[in-house]
Amino acid sequence: MRCTKWSIKVTSLNLEVVRALAREGIPSVGMSPFSCGWSTCERNLASADVSMVANAIESGFVPVLHGDAVFDGSQDCTILSGDVIIRHLAAQLKPEFVVFLTDVLGVYDRPPTEPNAVLLREIAVHEDGSWSVVKPTLQNINKQVEITVAAHDTTGGMMTKISEAAMIAKLGINVYIVKAATNHSSRALSGELKGDVPEDWLGTVIRFLR
Amino acid sequence: MRCTKWSIKVTSLNLEVVRALAREGIPSVGMSPFSCGWSTCERNLASADVSMVANAIESGFVPVLHGDAVFDGSQDCTILSGDVIIRHLAAQLKPEFVVFLTDVLGVYDRPPTEPNAVLLREIAVHEDGSWSVVKPTLQNINKQVEITVAAHDTTGGMMTKISEAAMIAKLGINVYIVKAATNHSSRALSGELKGDVPEDWLGTVIRFLR
């Protein structure tokens, strides 16, 4: 029943997003990873066919997926996070860039509610998968970057987001983490930030440093 | 956009059914045929993988599917009716019996709102796919059976229901068409009607006559 309750919640939210997009004239279509046959084995993605997502895009639809309750190899039910889903979609579909929308400007060096929290504007991902802050330069910020898990995020929080984003960036796909419903998010979504990120753009870009 | 609007409607309805089942303690899970990768070609079912439905049942869930907007071979969008879906599921998953819930007692010889409408209690399907009324015997009823298409049913109405039900019956699987939320539907759903249908049961059974 835990699975059913979770599934009802994410389906309701998905439906609201599809509805909102439709109201704006965007032909979107809700797709649950569970229904698409996605499954995990020991909590790692085991089977994840992206053909339905690709079909929807080719036919001019905007597919709307969500973190979902899926079957695990053990026949139990696991939560597959939206961050893992977008990483898999990025690897398979090779988009030009990926945007993560959130409720704060981007990634901070410590909880953004703390008075001296500094927005990390650019994070570089290295060949070995490690990552470091490029902008602002480390002299200017507190050396100890604390990344906290937001209490309201059931599927991993900021740490998962950054590590999944780093894996996307390693594919050569820039990831922008930005506050939803702002001028900054519109600019990221419109593809305006392809080259160097302008000084007046507030958000975090995560990119691969070759 | 027509596709998106239809999809929002059926998804909302599906969610309400899943919610109602969950409230009764039944671990159900919504599955859209579209998300499952079902598609048509020239309006006939082309690809329809039932493995996700079978998985859900094996794991103890009650899958809730619905008539859906799916891709047609031509890359347009077609409406795939719930009656076609249940016929395909029956052929693949071989259930003991199938129950169609409706808002009248069963199938009538003419529109059930007309004063002399007679409930057809048993319909036999023959080897060649044709069907005839077994009970009540034809002497007692108006010979001309008028089957009308209900105006509120967007995906085919009674005629499609009977012909899809006849195809299920031809597989040796009895189909019960019965009024939802009645003692008659509970009896049908509980599997009580496996043998001969008792006189006090009101509904229509469609079965294969070898």
Side-chain angles (χ1 to χ4, degrees):
Chain A
M1 280 307 285
R2 205 174 52 89
C3 235
T4 297
K5 280 181 191 153
W6 215 82
S7 163
I8 290 174
K9 278 186 192 165
V10 290
T11 307
S12 308
L13 183 56
N14 184 283
L15 188 59
E16 285 315 311
V17 173
V18 171
R19 228 173 230 151
L21 288 168
R23 272 197 302 268
E24 300 297 322
I26 296 164
S28 55
V29 62
M31 307 185 77
S32 101
F34 171 80
S35 281
C36 287
W38 291 35
S39 64
T40 57
C41 199
E42 307 203 328
R43 305 190 132 249
N44 292 311
L45 209 50
S47 146
D49 181 3
V50 302
S51 62
M52 277 311 294
V53 180
N55 269 356
I57 295 170
E58 267 166 42
S59 304
F61 287 92
V62 174
V64 180
L65 285 84
H66 52 78
D68 208 358
V70 300
F71 289 134
D72 194 72
S74 58
Q75 286 297 40
D76 277 346
C77 186
T78 351
I79 302 302
L80 179 63
S81 123
D83 304 319
V84 174
I85 293 169
I86 187 67
R87 190 239 303 164
H88 182 72
L89 287 175
Q92 300 289 312
L93 303 176
K94 303 270 193 299
E96 282 181 61
F97 56 89
V98 167
V99 180
F100 282 22
L101 298 173
T102 180
D103 59 352
V104 288
L105 287 175
V107 179
Y108 287 79
D109 66 334
R110 76 201 81 173
T113 45
E114 287 187 17
N116 297 318
V118 174
L119 177 65
L120 306 180
R121 311 210 26 189
E122 187 172 340
I123 292 173
V125 178
H126 310 283
E127 198 71 66
D128 64 358
S130 69
W131 50 272
S132 56
V133 179
V134 173
K135 224 192 262 178
T137 45
L138 273 174
Q139 294 91 293
N140 307 336
I141 63 163
N142 187 316
K143 290 247 159 30
Q144 201 196 345
V145 174
E146 287 176 44
I147 307 291
T148 55
V149 175
H152 64 272
D153 188 336
T154 52
T155 61
M158 202 44 94
M159 206 56 221
T160 322
K161 265 186 187 45
I162 296 177
S163 72
E164 296 295 337
M167 282 196 261
I168 297 172
K170 260 201 80 177
L171 303 165
I173 300 165
N174 286 1
V175 179
Y176 304 98
I177 302 184
V178 60
K179 186 168 184 170
T182 60
N183 161 46
H184 305 296
S185 60
S186 316
R187 291 172 77 184
L189 289 164
S190 69
E192 197 196 293
L193 309 178
K194 266 177 230 174
D196 269 338
V197 169
E199 273 310 306
D200 65 343
W201 184 76
L202 294 180
T204 303
V205 54
I206 301 181
R207 63 170 113 222
F208 187 36
L209 198 76
R210 262 165 254 262
Chain B
M1 280 306 285
R2 205 175 53 88
C3 234
T4 298
K5 280 179 191 153
W6 216 83
S7 162
I8 291 174
K9 278 185 191 164
V10 290
T11 308
S12 307
L13 183 56
N14 184 282
L15 188 59
E16 284 315 310
V17 173
V18 172
R19 229 174 231 152
L21 288 168
R23 272 196 302 267
E24 299 298 322
I26 296 163
S28 56
V29 61
M31 305 186 78
S32 102
F34 170 82
S35 281
C36 288
W38 291 35
S39 64
T40 57
C41 199
E42 306 202 331
R43 304 191 131 250
N44 292 311
L45 209 50
S47 145
D49 181 3
V50 303
S51 62
M52 275 313 292
V53 180
N55 269 358
I57 295 170
E58 267 167 42
S59 305
F61 287 92
V62 174
V64 180
L65 284 83
H66 52 78
D68 207 359
V70 300
F71 289 134
D72 195 71
S74 59
Q75 289 294 41
D76 277 346
C77 185
T78 351
I79 302 302
L80 179 63
S81 122
D83 304 319
V84 174
I85 293 170
I86 187 68
R87 190 239 302 163
H88 182 71
L89 287 175
Q92 300 289 312
L93 303 177
K94 303 268 193 300
E96 281 181 62
F97 56 90
V98 167
V99 180
F100 282 22
L101 298 174
T102 180
D103 57 353
V104 288
L105 286 176
V107 179
Y108 287 80
D109 66 334
R110 76 203 80 173
T113 46
E114 286 186 18
N116 298 317
V118 175
L119 177 66
L120 307 180
R121 310 207 28 188
E122 188 171 341
I123 293 173
V125 179
H126 310 283
E127 197 70 67
D128 64 359
S130 69
W131 49 271
S132 56
V133 179
V134 174
K135 225 191 262 176
T137 46
L138 272 174
Q139 296 89 291
N140 306 337
I141 63 162
N142 187 317
K143 291 248 161 24
Q144 202 197 344
V145 175
E146 289 175 43
I147 308 290
T148 55
V149 175
H152 64 271
D153 189 335
T154 52
T155 59
M158 203 44 95
M159 205 58 220
T160 321
K161 264 186 186 45
I162 296 177
S163 71
E164 296 295 339
M167 283 195 260
I168 296 171
K170 262 201 78 179
L171 303 165
I173 300 166
N174 285 1
V175 178
Y176 304 97
I177 302 185
V178 61
K179 185 167 183 171
T182 61
N183 160 47
H184 306 296
S185 61
S186 315
R187 292 173 75 184
L189 289 164
S190 68
E192 197 196 293
L193 309 176
K194 265 177 231 174
D196 270 338
V197 169
E199 273 309 307
D200 65 343
W201 183 74
L202 295 180
T204 303
V205 56
I206 301 181
R207 62 171 111 221
F208 187 35
L209 199 74
R210 263 164 253 262

